[in-house]
Amino acid sequence: GVIGIGGGGGTSVVAAGMRALPLGLPKLMVSTLASGDTAPYVDVSDIIMMPSVTDMAGLNRLSRTVLHNAAQAIAGMAAKPAPAAAGKPALGLTMFGVTTPCVTAIVERLRADYDCMVFHATGTGGRSMEKLADSGLLAGILDITTTEVCDLLFGGVLPATEDRFGAVARTKLPYVGSVGALDMVNFWAPATIPERYRGRLFYEHNPNVTLMRTTAEECRKIGEWIGGRLARCDGPVRFLIPERGVSALDIEGGAFFDPEADAALFDAIERTIKPARNRAVTRLPLHINDPQFAKAAAAAFLDIAKK
Amino acid sequence: GVIGIGGGGGTSVVAAGMRALPLGLPKLMVSTLASGDTAPYVDVSDIIMMPSVTDMAGLNRLSRTVLHNAAQAIAGMAAKPAPAAAGKPALGLTMFGVTTPCVTAIVERLRADYDCMVFHATGTGGRSMEKLADSGLLAGILDITTTEVCDLLFGGVLPATEDRFGAVARTKLPYVGSVGALDMVNFWAPATIPERYRGRLFYEHNPNVTLMRTTAEECRKIGEWIGGRLARCDGPVRFLIPERGVSALDIEGGAFFDPEADAALFDAIERTIKPARNRAVTRLPLHINDPQFAKAAAAAFLDIAKK
């Protein structure tokens, strides 16, 4: 276990160190900043934030009590580490509302043998999943919904970081990927959309969430970015392309149906991912939410997980 | 100790209960909302926030580890409560930059016998101090800087709550009060100041903090509010009035010097506080930051603390 104490500067420094440690290892930060926006310090980690209540300059009766409790807490956690997970191996999966039928069907197929952890592809979700992988807590990844890349490349509000797919490369975990929701960039209410996107195709998911259809040119860039990252992954990689649409909106008759944009996306991925002995791209004449697509994704995972 | 687990709704409910418990009693909240703005949940309490990392719906290998660590932490804290403070009795004091010389001089005089906890009068500071008093952790209060009342009544950014002075009434602790910084309402950058205050007297503390001089009419309302609250306090109360100015700006030649406004303030307090056997208002022909004023405040406290 790790314990830290800090005000503004100290919290920033210590939390940065703690974030580099594996999930599950007890980490307790006594801080003047624990009541407020802790996201810059905690991010997607499991850092426990404990309010110092008074300033940490010098001891007083309250800070003595707070520090006593902190010492007891970290000692309690360090005294008996969590037992190694005895149950099923864990999988990470990425989902969005528009890929829910696909991911739900995959989980149905795999849950008998795997502990399935589904992450919403909100930027934070993808990062949490990769952090889990880096911490050695995952046995594989079904990254059906890679949509966070759109927001990273085109200024959406739920972006991946530049390190997206980094944990896949580092851990060489069995990986099944797909193009879920790559038809959309996320914005908040219409007023928040950058001026440069005036005249584009939008879909109002709700009054506070507006989706923008990615163009063929953007799709080419998205595909190249994803393919380029996956080309650096030396573990088993299976990438599945649903030729009839990548989200619930990108379906014949749907608001974002655009075979030309999708074709640009698929071509770019195929061109850049560099298929190899351990890395394959498969096109299927199905929509992403077709039950047969979920079946194929689960089968692809079981195929590489066996090895 | 108390432990809670929750997502959005659960965190809100459980934290509300935890906030009602005394400071120092271990309270640990495992929450999906621990990485983000925790202020609505933690507020001025010592609630420890622990990220659940994955969603709390159902168990998975990570949530098992997180919950194991949480159980160990609360068990560790509950196993050995903090020893009762053996040192000097603790005092709470309120300070602002413009009353620092006064409060510092008071601490100098009292620190040999008391553990002095100084709180910045930022709204949070006053609430933290009163929370400490309610938790039984204070032996007395020197509330030199009651400025948070201005922001409460006139829309400033560092307001007290309606419960200001509530802990004084509930605990009947020895209390020395004064009028520190009642010459100002706090705003952020000039652009944030409400339109209704156009044409008022402002002082730019820094580019992000703008102070507005309170008028005689406002001072009357402030004085009545404070006096009315203190009239409900049955413990020993001594209220000291520095007739030559209430802050570093409210001094002859200073930007906020306004004897008429101060007079309205002092009169309103005297009229509403209802002096009684145990409650007295004393005027001193001194500025608040005059060393003689600090000396008088410390002496007034020692006088009532003895009883």
Side-chain angles (χ1 to χ4, degrees), chain A residues 31-134:
Chain A
S31 170
T32 57
L33 304 174
S35 180
D37 187 4
T38 62
Y41 314 110
V42 176
D43 195 41
V44 299
S45 78
D46 57 349
I47 296 174
I48 305 168
M49 293 287 282
M50 180 167 184
S52 65
V53 188
T54 63
D55 205 63
M56 271 290 137
L59 289 169
N60 56 52
R61 74 177 43 205
L62 186 63
S63 60
R64 281 180 212 276
T65 299
V66 166
L67 293 172
H68 171 92
N69 286 343
Q72 289 292 119
I74 194 74
M77 290 188 280
K80 192 177 173 191
K88 311 169 216 172
L91 302 183
L93 300 97
T94 49
M95 187 168 85
F96 234 25
V98 291
T99 59
T100 295
C102 175
V103 177
T104 304
I106 292 172
V107 170
E108 287 292 321
R109 290 190 162 263
L110 298 178
R111 74 150 50 111
D113 297 315
Y114 291 96
D115 188 9
C116 293
M117 291 192 244
V118 175
F119 293 87
H120 283 266
T122 57
T124 313
R127 283 156 60 217
S128 295
M129 184 181 74
E130 295 210 31
K131 173 101 180 166
L132 272 188
D134 276 327

Side-chain angles (χ1 to χ4, degrees), chain A residues 220-236:
Chain A
R220 185 183 59 73
K221 289 180 181 163
I222 293 163
E224 287 171 354
W225 200 93
I226 293 173
R229 300 285 160 147
L230 290 176
R232 299 177 205 164
C233 297
D234 296 328

Side-chain angles (χ1 to χ4, degrees), chain A residues 24 26 34-39 42-43 45-51 53-54 59-62 65 68-69 72-73 76-77 80-83 85 88-90 115 117 119 132 137, chain B residues 24 26 34-39 42-43 45-51 53-54 59-62 65 68-69 72-73 76-77 80-83 85 87-90 115 117 132 137:
Chain A
S35 180
D37 187 4
T38 62
V42 176
D43 195 41
S45 78
D46 57 349
I47 296 174
I48 305 168
M49 293 287 282
M50 180 167 184
V53 188
T54 63
L59 289 169
N60 56 52
R61 74 177 43 205
L62 186 63
T65 299
H68 171 92
N69 286 343
Q72 289 292 119
M77 290 188 280
K80 192 177 173 191
K88 311 169 216 172
D115 188 9
M117 291 192 244
F119 293 87
L132 272 188
L137 293 169
Chain B
S35 181
D37 186 3
T38 62
V42 177
D43 194 42
S45 79
D46 56 350
I47 296 173
I48 306 169
M49 293 286 283
M50 180 167 186
V53 187
T54 62
L59 289 169
N60 58 51
R61 74 178 42 206
L62 186 62
T65 299
H68 171 93
N69 286 342
Q72 288 293 119
M77 289 189 282
K80 192 177 173 191
K88 310 170 217 171
D115 188 10
M117 292 193 244
L132 272 187
L137 292 170

Side-chain angles (χ1 to χ4, degrees), chain B residues 87-104:
Chain B
K88 310 170 217 171
L91 302 184
L93 302 96
T94 49
M95 187 167 85
F96 234 24
V98 291
T99 59
T100 295
C102 174
V103 177
T104 305

